[in-house]
Amino acid sequence: MVTVFFVRNGSKIRVEVPEGTTLMEAAKFHSTVSIEEIPATCGGCCACATCHIFVDDTWLDKVGNIDYNTPEFHLLEYQHDFKEGKSRLACQIELKPEHNGLIVHLRNDELL
């Protein structure tokens, strides 16, 4: 199992998921608390950017950089709150044992 933390307004939401689960799936299907900031409109197909999150500074190295030649980057670069190096789509982060304890920050304005 991998434990991840979604930070909303300074409070952490703890979610435990099996290895191989995406961060988006963790928020949508495994959290006991509703995480409305990740509506994931496209269902995880990397087509909508509604699962945009910010990787905590302490985890940037373990999550890795975005590939600038992918749809993920092209979707994110047009978001008004895009933060280079920190912005990622939760559907594109597959959780592995080295992500145990991962902290990501939810967007304040994504409530739809």
Side-chain angles (χ1 to χ4, degrees), residues 12-110:
K12 289 182 181 176
I13 301 168
R14 178 187 172 122
V15 181
E16 292 188 18
V17 297
E19 179 183 340
T21 302
T22 67
L23 195 54
M24 181 276 297
E25 292 167 335
K28 294 287 290 178
F29 308 121
H30 296 275
S31 179
T32 58
V33 175
S34 178
I35 301 179
E36 297 166 352
E37 294 90 344
I38 300 182
T41 306
C42 72
C45 297
C46 194
C48 70
T50 60
C51 64
H52 179 186
I53 52 87
F54 305 111
V55 177
D56 190 82
D57 290 338
T58 59
W59 284 90
L60 293 174
D61 290 339
K62 288 192 178 181
V63 171
N65 292 326
I66 201 169
D67 182 344
Y68 292 103
N69 294 315
T70 62
E72 179 182 14
F73 177 74
H74 297 296
L75 286 168
L76 286 172
E77 71 179 329
Y78 295 107
Q79 297 292 310
H80 75 307
D81 56 351
F82 173 70
K83 296 179 184 175
E84 191 163 349
K86 295 181 75 162
S87 287
R88 292 294 308 266
L89 294 182
C91 67
Q92 297 302 296
I93 300 173
E94 184 177 316
L95 298 168
K96 301 172 185 166
E98 58 264 28
H99 295 133
N100 192 43
L102 174 64
I103 300 169
V104 297
H105 299 266
L106 299 169
R107 297 169 67 196
N108 292 331
D109 64 350
E110 192 54 39

